[in-house]
Coordinates of all heavy atoms in Angstrom, one line a residue:
E1 N -18.2 27.0 56.9 CA -18.5 27.7 58.1 C -18.3 26.8 59.3 O -18.6 25.6 59.2 CB -20.0 28.2 58.1 CG -20.4 29.2 59.0 CD -21.8 29.7 58.7 OE1 -22.1 30.3 57.7 OE2 -22.8 29.3 59.6
Y2 N -17.8 27.4 60.4 CA -17.7 26.6 61.7 C -18.1 27.4 62.8 O -18.1 28.6 62.7 CB -16.2 26.3 61.9 CG -15.6 25.3 60.9 CD1 -15.1 25.7 59.6 CD2 -15.6 24.0 61.1 CE1 -14.7 24.8 58.7 CE2 -15.2 23.0 60.2 CZ -14.7 23.4 59.0 OH -14.2 22.5 58.1
D3 N -18.6 26.7 63.9 CA -18.9 27.4 65.1 C -17.7 27.9 65.8 O -17.8 29.0 66.4 CB -19.7 26.4 66.0 CG -21.1 26.0 65.4 OD1 -21.8 26.9 65.0 OD2 -21.3 24.8 65.4
F4 N -16.6 27.2 65.8 CA -15.4 27.5 66.5 C -14.2 27.3 65.6 O -14.1 26.2 65.0 CB -15.2 26.7 67.9 CG -16.3 26.9 68.8 CD1 -17.4 26.1 68.8 CD2 -16.3 28.0 69.7 CE1 -18.4 26.3 69.7 CE2 -17.3 28.2 70.6 CZ -18.3 27.3 70.6
V5 N -13.3 28.2 65.6 CA -12.0 28.0 64.8 C -10.9 28.2 65.9 O -10.8 29.3 66.6 CB -11.8 29.0 63.7 CG1 -10.5 28.9 63.1 CG2 -12.9 28.9 62.6
I6 N -10.1 27.2 66.1 CA -9.0 27.2 67.0 C -7.7 27.2 66.3 O -7.5 26.4 65.4 CB -9.1 26.0 67.9 CG1 -10.5 26.0 68.7 CG2 -7.9 25.9 68.9 CD1 -10.8 24.7 69.4
I7 N -6.9 28.2 66.6 CA -5.6 28.3 65.9 C -4.5 27.7 66.9 O -4.3 28.2 67.9 CB -5.3 29.9 65.7 CG1 -6.4 30.6 65.0 CG2 -4.0 30.0 64.9 CD1 -6.8 30.1 63.7
G8 N -3.9 26.7 66.3 CA -2.8 26.0 67.1 C -3.3 24.7 67.6 O -4.2 24.5 68.4
G9 N -2.6 23.6 67.0 CA -2.9 22.2 67.4 C -2.0 21.7 68.4 O -1.6 20.5 68.4
G10 N -1.6 22.5 69.4 CA -0.8 22.1 70.5 C -1.6 21.4 71.6 O -2.8 21.1 71.4
S11 N -1.0 21.2 72.7 CA -1.7 20.6 73.8 C -3.1 21.3 74.2 O -4.1 20.6 74.2 CB -0.9 20.5 75.1 OG 0.3 19.9 74.8
A12 N -3.0 22.6 74.4 CA -4.3 23.3 74.7 C -5.3 23.3 73.6 O -6.4 23.1 73.8 CB -3.9 24.7 75.2
G13 N -4.8 23.6 72.4 CA -5.7 23.6 71.2 C -6.3 22.3 71.0 O -7.5 22.2 70.6
G14 N -5.6 21.2 71.1 CA -6.2 19.9 70.9 C -7.2 19.6 71.9 O -8.3 19.0 71.6
V15 N -7.0 19.9 73.2 CA -7.9 19.6 74.2 C -9.1 20.4 74.0 O -10.3 20.0 74.2 CB -7.3 19.8 75.6 CG1 -8.4 19.8 76.7 CG2 -6.2 18.8 75.9
L16 N -9.0 21.7 73.8 CA -10.1 22.7 73.5 C -11.0 22.2 72.4 O -12.2 22.1 72.5 CB -9.6 24.1 73.3 CG -10.7 25.2 73.2 CD1 -11.6 25.2 74.4 CD2 -10.0 26.5 72.9
A17 N -10.3 21.8 71.3 CA -11.1 21.3 70.1 C -11.8 20.0 70.4 O -13.0 19.9 70.0 CB -10.1 21.0 68.9
N18 N -11.2 19.2 71.2 CA -11.9 17.9 71.6 C -13.1 18.2 72.5 O -14.2 17.6 72.2 CB -10.9 17.0 72.3 CG -11.5 15.6 72.7 OD1 -12.1 14.9 71.8 ND2 -11.5 15.3 74.0
R19 N -12.9 19.0 73.4 CA -14.1 19.3 74.4 C -15.2 20.0 73.7 O -16.4 19.7 73.9 CB -13.6 20.2 75.5 CG -12.6 19.5 76.5 CD -13.2 18.3 77.2 NE -14.3 18.6 78.0 CZ -14.2 18.9 79.4 NH1 -13.0 19.0 79.9 NH2 -15.3 19.2 80.0
L20 N -14.9 20.9 72.8 CA -16.0 21.6 72.0 C -16.7 20.7 71.1 O -17.9 20.8 70.9 CB -15.4 22.9 71.3 CG -14.9 24.0 72.1 CD1 -14.2 25.1 71.3 CD2 -16.1 24.7 72.8
S21 N -15.9 19.8 70.5 CA -16.6 18.9 69.5 C -17.4 17.8 70.2 O -18.2 17.1 69.5 CB -15.5 18.1 68.7 OG -14.7 17.3 69.5
E22 N -17.4 17.8 71.5 CA -18.3 16.8 72.2 C -19.8 17.2 72.1 O -20.7 16.5 72.4 CB -17.9 16.7 73.7 CG -16.6 16.0 73.9 CD -16.0 16.0 75.3 OE1 -16.7 16.6 76.2 OE2 -15.1 15.4 75.6
V23 N -20.0 18.5 71.9 CA -21.4 19.0 71.7 C -21.8 18.7 70.3 O -21.2 19.2 69.3 CB -21.5 20.5 72.0 CG1 -22.9 21.0 71.7 CG2 -21.0 20.9 73.4
G24 N -22.8 17.8 70.1 CA -23.1 17.2 68.9 C -23.4 18.2 67.7 O -23.1 17.8 66.6
N25 N -24.0 19.3 68.0 CA -24.4 20.2 66.9 C -23.3 21.3 66.6 O -23.6 22.2 65.8 CB -25.8 20.7 67.1 CG -25.9 21.6 68.3 OD1 -25.0 21.5 69.2 ND2 -26.9 22.4 68.4
W26 N -22.2 21.3 67.3 CA -21.2 22.3 67.1 C -20.1 21.7 66.1 O -19.7 20.6 66.1 CB -20.4 22.6 68.4 CG -21.2 23.5 69.3 CD1 -22.4 24.1 69.1 CD2 -20.9 23.9 70.6 NE1 -22.8 24.8 70.2 CE2 -21.9 24.7 71.2 CE3 -19.8 23.6 71.4 CZ2 -21.9 25.2 72.4 CZ3 -19.7 24.1 72.8 CH2 -20.8 24.9 73.2
T27 N -19.7 22.6 65.2 CA -18.6 22.2 64.3 C -17.3 23.0 64.7 O -17.4 24.2 65.1 CB -18.9 22.6 62.9 OG1 -19.2 24.0 62.8 CG2 -20.1 21.7 62.4
V28 N -16.2 22.3 64.7 CA -14.9 22.9 65.2 C -13.9 22.7 64.1 O -13.7 21.6 63.6 CB -14.5 22.2 66.5 CG1 -13.2 22.8 67.0 CG2 -15.6 22.3 67.6
L29 N -13.1 23.7 63.9 CA -12.0 23.6 62.9 C -10.7 23.9 63.7 O -10.6 25.0 64.4 CB -12.1 24.6 61.8 CG -10.9 24.7 60.9 CD1 -10.7 23.4 60.1 CD2 -11.1 25.9 59.8
L30 N -9.8 23.0 63.7 CA -8.5 23.1 64.4 C -7.4 23.4 63.4 O -7.2 22.5 62.5 CB -8.2 21.9 65.2 CG -6.8 21.9 66.0 CD1 -6.7 23.0 67.0 CD2 -6.7 20.5 66.6
L31 N -6.7 24.5 63.4 CA -5.7 24.8 62.4 C -4.3 24.8 63.0 O -4.1 25.3 64.1 CB -6.0 26.3 61.8 CG -7.3 26.5 61.1 CD1 -7.4 28.0 60.7 CD2 -7.3 25.6 59.8
E32 N -3.4 24.2 62.3 CA -2.0 24.0 62.8 C -1.1 24.4 61.7 O -1.3 23.8 60.6 CB -1.8 22.6 63.4 CG -0.4 22.3 63.7 CD 0.3 23.3 64.6 OE1 -0.3 23.5 65.7 OE2 1.4 23.8 64.3
A33 N -0.1 25.3 61.9 CA 0.8 25.6 60.8 C 1.7 24.5 60.4 O 2.1 24.3 59.3 CB 1.6 26.9 61.2
G34 N 2.1 23.7 61.4 CA 3.0 22.6 61.1 C 2.2 21.4 60.7 O 1.0 21.3 60.7
G35 N 3.0 20.3 60.4 CA 2.3 19.1 60.0 C 2.3 18.1 61.1 O 2.4 18.4 62.3
P36 N 2.1 16.8 60.7 CA 2.1 15.8 61.7 C 3.4 15.5 62.2 O 4.5 15.8 61.6 CB 1.6 14.6 60.9 CG 1.9 14.8 59.5 CD 1.9 16.3 59.3
E37 N 3.5 14.9 63.4 CA 4.8 14.6 64.0 C 5.5 13.6 63.3 O 4.9 12.7 62.6 CB 4.7 14.2 65.5 CG 3.9 13.0 65.7 CD 3.7 12.7 67.2 OE1 3.6 13.6 68.0 OE2 3.6 11.5 67.5
T38 N 6.8 13.6 63.4 CA 7.7 12.6 62.7 C 7.8 11.4 63.6 O 7.5 11.4 64.8 CB 9.1 13.2 62.4 OG1 9.7 13.5 63.7 CG2 9.0 14.4 61.6
P39 N 8.3 10.2 63.1 CA 8.4 9.1 63.9 C 9.4 9.3 65.1 O 9.1 8.8 66.2 CB 9.0 8.0 62.9 CG 8.6 8.4 61.6 CD 8.5 9.9 61.6
Q40 N 10.4 10.1 64.9 CA 11.3 10.5 66.0 C 10.6 11.2 67.1 O 11.0 11.1 68.3 CB 12.5 11.3 65.5 CG 13.4 10.6 64.5 CD 12.9 10.7 63.1 OE1 11.8 11.2 62.8 NE2 13.7 10.3 62.2
A41 N 9.6 12.0 66.8 CA 8.8 12.7 67.8 C 8.1 11.8 68.7 O 7.6 12.3 69.8 CB 7.9 13.7 67.1
Q42 N 7.8 10.6 68.4 CA 7.1 9.7 69.2 C 8.0 9.0 70.4 O 7.5 8.3 71.1 CB 6.4 8.6 68.4 CG 5.4 9.2 67.4 CD 4.8 8.1 66.5 OE1 4.9 6.9 66.8 NE2 4.2 8.5 65.5
I43 N 9.3 9.4 70.3 CA 10.2 8.8 71.3 C 10.7 10.0 72.1 O 11.5 10.8 71.6 CB 11.4 8.1 70.6 CG1 10.9 7.0 69.7 CG2 12.3 7.6 71.7 CD1 12.0 6.4 68.9
P44 N 10.3 10.2 73.4 CA 10.7 11.3 74.2 C 12.2 11.5 74.3 O 12.7 12.6 74.3 CB 10.0 11.1 75.6 CG 8.9 10.2 75.3 CD 9.3 9.3 74.1
L45 N 13.0 10.4 74.3 CA 14.4 10.5 74.4 C 15.0 11.2 73.2 O 16.1 11.9 73.4 CB 15.0 9.1 74.4 CG 16.5 8.9 74.5 CD1 17.0 9.5 75.8 CD2 16.9 7.5 74.3
L46 N 14.4 11.3 72.1 CA 14.9 12.0 71.0 C 14.4 13.4 70.8 O 14.7 14.1 69.8 CB 14.5 11.1 69.7 CG 15.1 9.7 69.6 CD1 14.6 9.0 68.3 CD2 16.6 9.7 69.7

């Protein structure tokens, strides 16, 4: 069980999950269909 379920780990979803998790007694689940970024994704030029 979670207090909030956020669908999408993009920029907005990540910020929203972070802000909601600042409240100590709230639990937040952030769901993302994709996986972690690849090493190439860390270089804006690529």
Side-chain angles (χ1 to χ4, degrees):
E1 196 174 294
Y2 290 88
D3 294 309
F4 299 94
V5 177
I6 299 167
I7 310 298
S11 301
V15 169
L16 183 58
N18 182 54
R19 294 296 299 269
L20 290 171
S21 68
E22 290 174 356
V23 178
N25 60 343
W26 285 354
T27 56
V28 181
L29 174 64
L30 176 63
L31 297 174
E32 170 59 49
E37 63 183 31
T38 62
Q40 295 85 350
Q42 297 178 14
I43 305 172
L45 177 67
L46 300 178

